[in-house]
Amino acid sequence: MEKHVGIIAIEVYTPKTFISQSNLEEYNGVSQGRYTIGLGQDEIGIVSGDAEDVNSIALTVVHSLLEKYEIDPSEIGRLEIGTETLVDKSKSTKTVLMSLFGENRDIEGVTVVNACYGGTAALFNTFAWVESEGWDGRYGLVVAADIAAYAKGPARPTSGAGAVAILVGRDAPLAFSDPRERVTHAAHTWDFFKPDHSVEYPTVDGALSQTCYYQALEDCYLRFVEKIEKIQKDENQGELKEDNI
């Protein structure tokens, strides 16, 4: 029986304050279009000083989704957050978001702390929960939120801030197909890390990051093709066995 697990609804939040990329081009003394054309971006979203942080933007996007789609908090059975931005090194963003769910404390899930991949992992985890025998009939809710800030230099124009909330369930209008049809690439590298907890800026090796991305893309593509071929081969063999029976 097809479960059609996928995305029921999406809500997005970006801060109202921003920096013009064209102004930043002028300020940094680079050629016109370096950021607006090169990065394909007109503005950099930034949080409003001390008025916003990763927890508050996550609260905003979840509240907006529940309100817009008229979802009762009791209908949420899993809440998973993907982020690399921390307000507290122990208290998770997930526990902060629990303030939106009233008496519903029966909500599985954690905060997945990982650069870039955290939101993807949270989405995969929630898909797996809805797909599983352990699913209790309620929605899963995934939140991806981050505040990317860089020290002065070539990486600063790639800064930004925002949050996305994704409602996951069965019989979804945007359903993912066979859950076996995916691959992952993970490796130990030092292209992006935050060794100094007293500052918010990461240590970045942009050239190494590009190399890592190309290697990951090639590896994922090749193994994805192999996996699809194996799935098709196994299915064909199964059909042959049925015909022989």
Side-chain angles (χ1 to χ4, degrees):
M1 178 180 173
E2 292 289 338
K3 299 174 183 176
H4 301 291
V5 175
I7 296 173
I8 304 289
I10 297 179
E11 181 68 5
V12 177
Y13 172 78
T14 54
K16 294 181 179 179
T17 51
F18 63 90
I19 295 172
S20 167
Q21 286 282 34
S22 58
N23 288 344
L24 190 59
E25 289 171 346
E26 183 179 354
Y27 176 80
N28 286 338
V30 299
S31 59
Q32 187 176 2
R34 175 76 175 271
Y35 308 148
T36 52
I37 298 175
L39 296 176
Q41 193 178 58
D42 293 326
E43 293 99 16
I44 300 174
I46 58 173
V47 292
S48 304
D50 293 335
E52 289 185 307
D53 58 24
V54 71
N55 288 343
S56 73
I57 64 175
L59 284 164
T60 298
V61 78
V62 170
H63 181 271
S64 295
L65 183 141
L66 296 176
E67 186 177 67
K68 179 181 291 185
Y69 296 98
E70 299 180 347
I71 304 297
D72 190 291
S74 65
E75 296 181 87
I76 302 298
R78 184 180 185 89
L79 174 63
E80 192 124 350
I81 321 301
T83 187
E84 64 177 277
T85 307
L86 300 178
V87 174
D88 187 286
K89 289 190 291 183
S90 181
K91 181 174 175 58
S92 72
T93 297
K94 190 254 180 151
T95 62
V96 175
L97 293 181
M98 289 300 297
S99 63
L100 297 175
F101 295 91
E103 296 302 314
N104 180 17
R105 298 184 179 88
D106 181 20
I107 300 179
E108 296 186 21
V110 295
T111 297
V112 180
V113 180
N114 197 102
C116 298
Y117 188 72
T120 302
L123 188 62
F124 282 165
N125 292 344
T126 304
F127 281 159
W129 178 73
V130 176
E131 180 82 27
S132 74
E133 294 299 321
W135 182 60
D136 63 5
R138 295 183 293 169
Y139 294 118
L141 183 56
V142 177
V143 181
D146 262 321
I147 299 171
Y150 294 93
K152 186 176 181 180
R156 175 163 282 183
T158 65
S159 300
V164 179
I166 304 171
L167 193 68
V168 177
R170 294 188 182 183
D171 297 320
L174 182 58
F176 282 69
S177 54
D178 192 330
R180 298 172 299 171
E181 296 177 356
R182 76 184 199 213
V183 294
T184 295
H185 176 95
H188 175 52
T189 63
W190 291 100
D191 63 310
F192 182 101
F193 54 103
K194 296 181 178 180
D196 186 352
H197 295 288
S198 65
V199 297
E200 61 179 333
Y201 302 135
T203 298
V204 182
D205 185 334
L208 179 57
S209 274
Q210 288 186 333
T211 300
C212 290
Y213 276 117
Y214 285 131
Q215 289 175 342
L217 179 62
E218 181 179 15
D219 180 48
C220 283
Y221 174 76
L222 293 175
R223 287 191 292 108
F224 182 75
V225 171
E226 291 176 358
K227 182 173 284 190
I228 295 300
E229 290 176 347
K230 183 179 185 303
I231 291 172
Q232 292 175 343
K233 181 179 179 181
D234 292 343
E235 289 177 347
N236 290 336
Q237 289 177 344
E239 290 174 1
L240 287 174
K241 288 181 181 178
E242 290 180 1
D243 290 340
N244 292 332
I245 292 173

